[in-house]
Amino acid sequence: MYCRSIGVNIFCSCGRVTRGRYYRVRFEFKVTMFFSHEILQRKSALGQIWIAATMGISRINRRKVQGIDVIQVCSQILEPVTPLALRLSGILMGGLVNVHGRQATFLLGMLCQFNSVMIMIREFHVELEVNLGLFW
């Protein structure tokens, strides 16, 4: 496990303008953010959340979305094994919201299908009673 450095350090050496001459301006950027690459592997739950947050929820298939345990991932984000940057944890929370919304959509679709099947069974049962004359 290794950490990657990304963050912002700006060094500026500016001169003042004298007699129409400009001094040279030098900028150096060094970005520093600490996170473990093992956390964001494609096969891990946080990796799937990262893909949902950055590339869109449509990049993850239905089986993987339904296999993500939202409560466990929340606890991993709130209490990580290695420290996470605030921006990374915010991005992961946004992806988690997308995944939870997709799971709710799948559940609603399954319930609507179940409801339509139950209505068909009830209608068939009523027709069967009428046709056979089964009135209790």
Side-chain angles (χ1 to χ4, degrees), residues 35-47:
F35 64 92
S36 172
H37 290 275
E38 293 176 1
I39 292 175
L40 298 179
Q41 288 179 350
R42 255 181 110 75
K43 294 181 180 179
S44 68
L46 285 178

Side-chain angles (χ1 to χ4, degrees), residues 88-136:
L88 177 62
S89 61
I91 289 171
L92 290 174
M93 280 294 186
L96 190 61
V97 168
N98 292 340
V99 167
H100 186 264
R102 182 74 149 211
Q103 287 179 347
T105 303
F106 290 152
L107 179 63
L108 179 64
M110 287 188 292
L111 289 175
C112 288
Q113 287 177 351
F114 178 75
N115 190 26
S116 63
V117 167
M118 292 303 292
I119 289 172
M120 287 175 22
I121 289 173
R122 186 175 55 207
E123 289 174 356
F124 177 73
H125 184 69
V126 168
E127 287 179 15
L128 189 64
E129 284 182 353
V130 169
N131 290 337
L132 294 176
L134 298 175
F135 294 108
W136 296 86

Side-chain angles (χ1 to χ4, degrees), residues 8-135:
V8 179
N9 288 333
I10 301 173
F11 301 99
C12 176
S13 58
C14 305
R16 58 187 175 117
V17 177
T18 57
R19 296 188 188 184
R21 291 173 40 190
Y22 292 92
Y23 287 92
R24 215 170 135 181
V25 178
R26 189 178 118 223
F27 290 100
E28 294 179 13
F29 295 98
K30 181 183 175 192
V31 184
T32 318
M33 178 190 315
F34 299 101
F35 64 92
S36 172
H37 290 275
E38 293 176 1
I39 292 175
L40 298 179
Q41 288 179 350
R42 255 181 110 75
K43 294 181 180 179
S44 68
L46 285 178
Q48 296 299 319
I49 299 294
W50 172 262
I51 291 171
T54 56
M55 297 182 189
I57 190 71
S58 61
R59 304 277 285 189
I60 306 173
N61 63 14
R62 182 181 186 129
R63 190 188 73 209
K64 287 183 181 178
V65 169
Q66 288 180 336
I68 295 174
D69 184 13
V70 175
I71 296 171
Q72 180 185 9
V73 173
C74 273
S75 65
Q76 286 179 356
I77 294 172
L78 293 175
E79 298 171 2
V81 176
T82 59
L84 297 176
L86 184 60
R87 180 180 174 99
L88 177 62
S89 61
I91 289 171
L92 290 174
M93 280 294 186
L96 190 61
V97 168
N98 292 340
V99 167
H100 186 264
R102 182 74 149 211
Q103 287 179 347
T105 303
F106 290 152
L107 179 63
L108 179 64
M110 287 188 292
L111 289 175
C112 288
Q113 287 177 351
F114 178 75
N115 190 26
S116 63
V117 167
M118 292 303 292
I119 289 172
M120 287 175 22
I121 289 173
R122 186 175 55 207
E123 289 174 356
F124 177 73
H125 184 69
V126 168
E127 287 179 15
L128 189 64
E129 284 182 353
V130 169
N131 290 337
L132 294 176
L134 298 175
F135 294 108

